[in-house]
Amino acid sequence: QVQLVESGGGLVQPGGSLRLSCVASGRIFSIHAIGWYRQAPGKERELVATITSSGSKNYADSVTGRFTISRDNAKNTVYLQMNSLKPEDTAVYLCNANVRPGLGPKRYDYWGQGTQVTVSS
């Protein structure tokens, strides 16, 4: 089994910054892709940003230029630096990882519990 634990959420004023972290632990041989999704009340879950093991990054149009995703493979950790935050960024941010647990080719998706980000004055 794999556990994902997020941290770094909180309340911030518009224009402020936050840095989210997600640490993966458990039965991990390798992590192919890891990243962040978010879900606001009454809305569907949406992709924020992902990064592959080779460093390829993908961002939602709404956060491009404001958010930066990075990963530390040695620590099985992914970060999301969020700058110029807007009220519409308010949501629960969830970490997702596509994990290869052993030598076999199969990979599985895991989700964290989420961390609340609230942007408000």
Side-chain angles (χ1 to χ4, degrees):
Q1 193 62 287
V2 173
Q3 296 79 40
L4 303 177
V5 178
E6 303 101 332
S7 62
L11 173 64
V12 64
Q13 292 186 342
S17 299
L18 283 174
R19 188 189 194 213
L20 305 184
S21 300
C22 171
V23 179
S25 62
R27 192 181 175 201
I28 299 171
F29 179 77
S30 64
I31 299 176
H32 172 62
I34 189 167
W36 296 91
Y37 290 70
R38 67 187 181 187
Q39 189 162 19
K43 294 187 177 181
E44 293 187 355
R45 187 173 297 183
E46 62 176 359
L47 179 145
V48 177
T50 60
I51 183 169
T52 68
S53 55
S54 63
S56 178
K57 302 175 184 179
N58 182 40
Y59 293 97
D61 289 343
S62 60
V63 307
T64 298
R66 300 187 297 122
F67 292 9
T68 302
I69 191 169
S70 61
R71 65 188 281 176
D72 184 332
N73 291 329
K75 296 181 179 179
N76 287 335
T77 300
V78 64
Y79 306 97
L80 186 68
Q81 178 65 43
M82 306 186 294
N83 298 329
S84 302
L85 282 160
K86 305 175 181 179
E88 50 263 43
D89 294 318
T90 296
V92 175
Y93 283 68
L94 302 111
C95 182
N96 170 266
N98 185 249
V99 176
R100 187 178 165 197
L103 293 174
K106 288 187 177 181
R107 299 196 300 243
Y108 303 89
D109 270 345
Y110 295 92
W111 291 91
Q113 293 295 312
T115 185
Q116 176 70 45
V117 172
T118 302
V119 185
S120 175
S121 55

